Amino acid sequence: MSLLLARDLAADIRAGRTTPRAVMEQVADAIGACEGEVRAFSALGLDAALAQSLDPALATRPLAGLAVGVKDILDTRDLVTAYGSEIYAGWRPHNDSPVVAMTRRAGGIVAGKTVTTEFAFLQPSETRNPRRLSHSPGGSSAGSAAAVAAGMLPLALGTQTGGSVIRPAAFCGVTGYKPTYRLLPTLGMKTYSWHLDTIGLFGARVRDVAFMIAAITGRDLDIGDTLAERPRIGIVRTGRADQAGADAHAALEAAASAAEATGARVFDLRLPDELEAADAAHGNLQDFEAALSFADELAYHRDRLSPLLREHLTAAEAITPDVYDEARRTAKRARQRLGDLFGEVDALLTFSAPGPAPEGFATTGSAIFNRLWTLMGCPAINVAGLTAANGMPVGVQVVGRFGRDRQALEVASRVESAIVG
Amino acid sequence: MSLLLARDLAADIRAGRTTPRAVMEQVADAIGACEGEVRAFSALGLDAALAQSLDPALATRPLAGLAVGVKDILDTRDLVTAYGSEIYAGWRPHNDSPVVAMTRRAGGIVAGKTVTTEFAFLQPSETRNPRRLSHSPGGSSAGSAAAVAAGMLPLALGTQTGGSVIRPAAFCGVTGYKPTYRLLPTLGMKTYSWHLDTIGLFGARVRDVAFMIAAITGRDLDIGDTLAERPRIGIVRTGRADQAGADAHAALEAAASAAEATGARVFDLRLPDELEAADAAHGNLQDFEAALSFADELAYHRDRLSPLLREHLTAAEAITPDVYDEARRTAKRARQRLGDLFGEVDALLTFSAPGPAPEGFATTGSAIFNRLWTLMGCPAINVAGLTAANGMPVGVQVVGRFGRDRQALEVASRVESAIVG
């Protein structure tokens, strides 16, 4: 299964070398061949997508009629939106969420809804890792990562509150990009934590997610083949480094060496105490908000939540406003300190996950190396291309300065090209 | 029409001097008597409310079974939610918005949905000002302000993106309270601008909205009869002072003198340039986000928007990301400067509106003295009790420090008691 390269496909369409319809047929064929085993989709709209792909105006639009998968935590007006929960089985929202409307406006075609774990939390989904079907694709954006990894889609939307974009991207061996907080609006997303929820993008290469964010926002983020020039890259292992396995450490060393070999200025960086402290504050901030975000479900559908989520939210209801306020102050101090830190460094390079995808489906893996960067709101990109001893993908994570997404993407593309050429 | 005093009614219920049912019957009678002329409700649920009020457990709950009105910009699971737009006529959301769920959990009973202007923007609604039916109640939380002013409800929820809580409260002569940004979650609110939208509360007196915010959040904000001790109050007329009429200036002078006479330390304060600049940034920030928030309506229902809103959003679509980003930077600089300013002052006292309610219904009035404080995210309270030359209410606005809502409420209550005893 070869990955679909969104930016190249759009260029081919614009140059007349192929058509939106031909690409959509390729997508439909790949889905026909792989979906039975991978189970990346909660709903498919291929007939409508194939029909839409005949619109001759598409070739001139930013996304050129490319197929996009939409995580089923995001509202869509034409496809059932169930947020991975039986509570919403068959639910039809009134509207497209703004990020979906922006995607359509840019000439993207929604081919289907991709599987999310229940309300984007930790209960494993039915989706399989296309790199090895016996392994987890990660979560919560399981379907989006798996569909891109299986070559069923060139692009997909996901979301991250802890590590739900970077982790599945790392496990499935694709690019996952969590933009700066609120660069993409989270309206029409089933909220878990309003200070953390962030819309993310999946594609084959770094340049593909850069192409997509530029297309849907109109911002100057389509980096193409641009690579950061001699970037200052701080290697960050964090106070939780001992929880990263040998594969993760080896990948981080390999990525750092490769980047240095291509001209990057690479050095070890110890995280300031304010940031280590903020990592521990993520949970209280997230869960206090979750207990309010799910107030209706807790009042009327508590027994229809998975035991895992029900127990988690029940505990969350006991978090006091004082604990929450202190977590927010801790996060604010850390953001200020991180801003200072980015005066000395262009990007951070750290683990995407503790290791490769877990075998089996008991867990979607850990967000331990992601939650801090979600809390900080800064851009993060999983760079794919390295592999573990068992042959499964291992990602490394490039973290950029808040609001400096173009620089983060250019550094990530530099690291990617150093790894995979 | 006498106002219903929420905090006193709850105390009477707890003391056994009255019952939730008796209060709900009083509410039903007042609605029967006034609603025909005032038109404050878009949907009523009095039969269900009367039935719920029989629950014997209510007397021990924070809100003691009091009736609450919910602005129809907030989702409710049991009452139609149309956001003031024909596009959503008859729409039934899946859930209660969290703030409604929090209100019910605290023992509040939703008696009805209150009228909002179309999507909480500027198109006047059918609601009348109960203080004089020939006058506007203001907007966009027209129904919530009018229902409390008419004595039909003790408490109501509203929202403010520009001046949609403070302005109608001032025009109708009730207390309007815009808490610190995100003290109440905006999930399940039809979003206009996610950096500005703020849930607000309406009640008779300052102590009544303080009682409600404490009840639904569990925070220590129920000030009761506590008044700020010798607060330092800066009188702020802003660079737009010439757009405030004689009634507004007279009210501000009267409130300042009365506060000083009761021991407040009152002095004139000129707003730093960073804050004057931020006032002008509100529009670009709000409207760039609105064009995305309404992406679905603009794509599928543009012709079903009022001409006023359609033209506004069509212009908003032309705002570039650069202009938006600059507006956000301007707002950030102003918030930092305002934080410094609150080292020297406990609260600001300024205009709530340029004057009393406009006669007729061509306009809901101006948010010119509100939008800056919405952008800053700090708590703001309309203090009622003063009147214009024509006998209509004129409010003054107390603005507090971000996150210091208790202090802002205690200062507002000090000013209120100085005015009305």
Side-chain angles (χ1 to χ4, degrees):
Chain A
M1 55 207 165
S2 62
L3 302 187
L4 299 173
L5 303 176
R7 194 170 188 277
D8 292 349
L9 286 168
D12 289 343
I13 289 167
R14 270 189 283 278
R17 293 188 288 270
T18 184
T19 65
R21 171 71 182 204
V23 175
M24 191 61 71
E25 287 170 349
Q26 184 181 357
V27 162
D29 292 346
I31 290 172
C34 304
E35 173 58 9
E37 288 185 323
V38 176
R39 305 181 221 165
F41 293 92
S42 60
L44 277 168
L46 284 174
D47 292 346
L50 285 161
Q52 291 169 47
S53 70
L54 291 169
D55 177 355
L58 283 171
T60 64
R61 311 271 292 284
L63 288 174
L66 292 180
V68 177
V70 176
K71 184 182 183 181
D72 198 36
I73 205 78
L74 294 164
D75 288 346
T76 46
R77 56 167 36 244
D78 55 350
L79 293 167
V80 165
T81 301
Y83 314 129
S85 167
E86 66 172 67
I87 297 167
Y88 292 84
W91 173 241
R92 296 294 296 267
H94 192 289
N95 288 1
D96 282 339
S97 51
V99 69
V100 169
M102 292 160 78
T103 300
R104 297 191 203 261
R105 190 165 56 192
I109 296 176
V110 176
K113 299 300 287 288
T114 55
V115 170
T116 176
T117 61
E118 176 196 27
F119 296 124
F121 191 59
L122 297 175
Q123 181 68 31
S125 72
E126 68 272 23
T127 304
R128 303 302 182 230
N129 190 318
R131 296 292 295 268
R132 203 170 289 177
L133 294 171
S134 55
H135 285 56
S136 169
S140 64
S141 305
S144 290
V148 171
M152 294 193 281
L153 291 172
L155 297 168
L157 292 166
T159 65
Q160 175 160 315
T161 303
S164 287
V165 166
I166 300 300
R167 177 159 102 263
F171 290 172
C172 294
V174 299
T175 302
Y177 163 42
K178 181 191 78 69
T180 290
Y181 175 67
R182 281 177 161 177
L183 181 58
L184 293 172
T186 52
L187 314 183
M189 168 186 174
K190 178 61 175 165
T191 301
Y192 195 95
S193 165
W194 54 87
H195 275 106
L196 296 169
D197 291 350
T198 308
I199 309 280
L201 310 179
F202 292 87
R205 302 282 302 254
V206 174
R207 71 172 68 94
D208 297 310
V209 294
F211 160 75
M212 183 179 184
I213 193 78
I216 64 179
T217 65
R219 290 173 179 269
D220 179 28
L221 295 169
D222 182 18
I223 63 171
D225 297 326
T226 309
L227 308 179
E229 283 300 327
R230 305 201 67 248
R232 299 167 299 169
I233 300 178
I235 309 300
V236 170
R237 292 176 182 78
T238 81
R240 299 163 299 292
D242 61 343
Q243 297 184 56
D247 289 316
H249 279 281
L252 186 55
E253 308 297 337
S257 304
E260 192 160 30
T262 64
R265 290 164 286 177
V266 176
F267 47 92
D268 288 338
L269 192 70
R270 181 187 161 284
L271 275 189
D273 296 342
E274 295 89 338
L275 277 105
E276 295 288 0
D279 181 80
H282 175 280
N284 283 332
L285 193 152
Q286 170 189 268
D287 293 335
F288 179 88
E289 294 186 353
L292 297 179
S293 300
F294 291 97
D296 183 276
E297 289 84 1
L298 288 167
Y300 297 97
H301 304 293
R302 194 178 289 254
D303 59 336
R304 298 174 71 191
L305 300 170
S306 68
L308 182 69
L309 181 57
R310 181 170 59 243
E311 286 157 28
H312 188 81
L313 291 178
T314 301
E317 290 179 287
I319 299 171
T320 65
D322 288 348
V323 168
Y324 171 67
D325 292 346
E326 181 52 38
R328 290 193 56 194
R329 285 189 292 268
T330 300
K332 185 177 182 181
R333 285 191 294 269
R335 288 189 193 102
Q336 290 166 339
R337 188 70 186 79
L338 185 58
D340 303 339
L341 191 68
F342 273 112
E344 309 151 23
V345 59
D346 299 316
L348 310 178
L349 184 65
T350 187
F351 310 110
S352 286
E359 181 161 17
F361 305 97
T363 171
T364 63
S366 167
I368 189 171
F369 295 112
N370 311 121
R371 60 195 185 200
L372 172 62
W373 312 117
T374 314
L375 181 61
M376 294 298 96
C378 48
I381 300 112
N382 176 70
V383 177
L386 296 166
T387 55
N390 69 355
M392 288 292 280
V394 178
V396 291
Q397 180 175 203
V398 170
V399 175
R401 185 173 195 163
F402 190 99
R404 305 285 179 85
D405 289 60
R406 185 179 178 101
Q407 182 177 44
L409 290 160
E410 289 182 355
V411 171
S413 200
R414 159 73 61 186
V415 172
E416 179 187 60
S417 70
I419 291 172
V420 302
Chain B
M1 57 209 165
S2 63
L3 302 187
L4 299 174
L5 304 176
R7 193 170 188 277
D8 293 348
L9 286 169
D12 291 343
I13 289 166
R14 269 190 283 277
R17 292 187 290 269
T18 185
T19 65
R21 172 70 182 205
V23 174
M24 191 62 70
E25 287 171 349
Q26 185 181 358
V27 162
D29 292 346
I31 291 172
C34 304
E35 173 59 9
E37 287 185 323
V38 176
R39 303 180 223 167
F41 292 92
S42 60
L44 277 168
L46 285 174
D47 293 346
L50 285 162
Q52 292 168 46
S53 69
L54 291 170
D55 177 356
L58 283 170
T60 64
R61 310 271 291 284
L63 288 175
L66 293 180
V68 178
V70 176
K71 184 181 183 181
D72 199 37
I73 204 78
L74 294 163
D75 288 347
T76 45
R77 56 169 34 245
D78 55 349
L79 292 167
V80 165
T81 301
Y83 314 129
S85 167
E86 66 172 66
I87 297 168
Y88 291 85
W91 173 241
R92 295 295 295 266
H94 192 289
N95 287 3
D96 281 338
S97 50
V99 69
V100 170
M102 292 161 77
T103 300
R104 295 191 204 262
R105 190 165 57 191
I109 296 177
V110 177
K113 300 299 286 289
T114 55
V115 170
T116 176
T117 61
E118 176 196 29
F119 296 123
F121 190 60
L122 297 175
Q123 181 68 32
S125 72
E126 68 273 22
T127 304
R128 301 304 182 229
N129 190 320
R131 297 292 296 268
R132 203 171 287 177
L133 294 171
S134 55
H135 285 57
S136 169
S140 65
S141 306
S144 290
V148 171
M152 293 192 282
L153 291 172
L155 297 167
L157 292 166
T159 64
Q160 175 159 315
T161 303
S164 287
V165 167
I166 301 300
R167 176 159 101 263
F171 289 173
C172 293
V174 299
T175 302
Y177 164 41
K178 181 191 79 68
T180 290
Y181 176 67
R182 280 177 159 177
L183 181 58
L184 293 172
T186 52
L187 315 182
M189 169 186 174
K190 179 59 175 165
T191 301
Y192 195 95
S193 165
W194 54 87
H195 274 106
L196 296 169
D197 291 350
T198 308
I199 309 281
L201 310 180
F202 293 88
R205 301 283 300 255
V206 173
R207 71 173 67 93
D208 297 310
V209 294
F211 160 75
M212 183 179 184
I213 192 79
I216 64 179
T217 65
R219 291 173 179 270
D220 179 28
L221 295 169
D222 181 18
I223 63 171
D225 297 326
T226 309
L227 308 179
E229 282 301 324
R230 304 201 69 247
R232 300 167 299 169
I233 301 178
I235 309 300
V236 170
R237 292 176 182 79
T238 82
R240 299 164 298 292
D242 61 343
Q243 298 183 57
D247 290 316
H249 279 281
L252 186 55
E253 307 299 335
S257 305
E260 193 160 30
T262 64
R265 290 164 287 176
V266 176
F267 47 91
D268 286 340
L269 191 70
R270 181 186 160 284
L271 276 189
D273 296 343
E274 296 90 339
L275 276 103
E276 295 289 359
D279 181 81
H282 174 280
N284 283 331
L285 193 153
Q286 170 188 269
D287 293 335
F288 179 88
E289 295 185 353
L292 297 178
S293 301
F294 291 97
D296 183 276
E297 290 83 0
L298 288 167
Y300 298 96
H301 303 292
R302 193 179 289 253
D303 59 337
R304 299 174 70 192
L305 300 170
S306 68
L308 182 69
L309 182 56
R310 181 170 60 244
E311 285 158 28
H312 189 82
L313 292 178
T314 300
E317 292 179 286
I319 299 171
T320 65
D322 288 348
V323 168
Y324 172 67
D325 292 346
E326 181 52 37
R328 290 194 54 195
R329 285 189 291 268
T330 300
K332 184 177 181 182
R333 285 190 293 268
R335 288 188 193 102
Q336 290 165 338
R337 188 68 186 82
L338 185 58
D340 303 338
L341 191 67
F342 273 112
E344 309 150 26
V345 60
D346 299 314
L348 310 179
L349 184 64
T350 187
F351 309 110
S352 286
E359 182 161 17
F361 306 96
T363 171
T364 62
S366 166
I368 189 171
F369 295 113
N370 311 120
R371 61 195 185 201
L372 172 62
W373 312 117
T374 314
L375 182 61
M376 294 298 96
C378 47
I381 301 112
N382 176 70
V383 177
L386 296 165
T387 54
N390 68 356
M392 287 292 281
V394 178
V396 292
Q397 181 176 203
V398 170
V399 175
R401 186 173 194 163
F402 190 99
R404 306 287 179 86
D405 289 60
R406 186 179 178 99
Q407 183 177 44
L409 289 161
E410 289 182 356
V411 172
S413 200
R414 159 73 61 186
V415 172
E416 177 187 60
S417 70
I419 292 172
V420 300

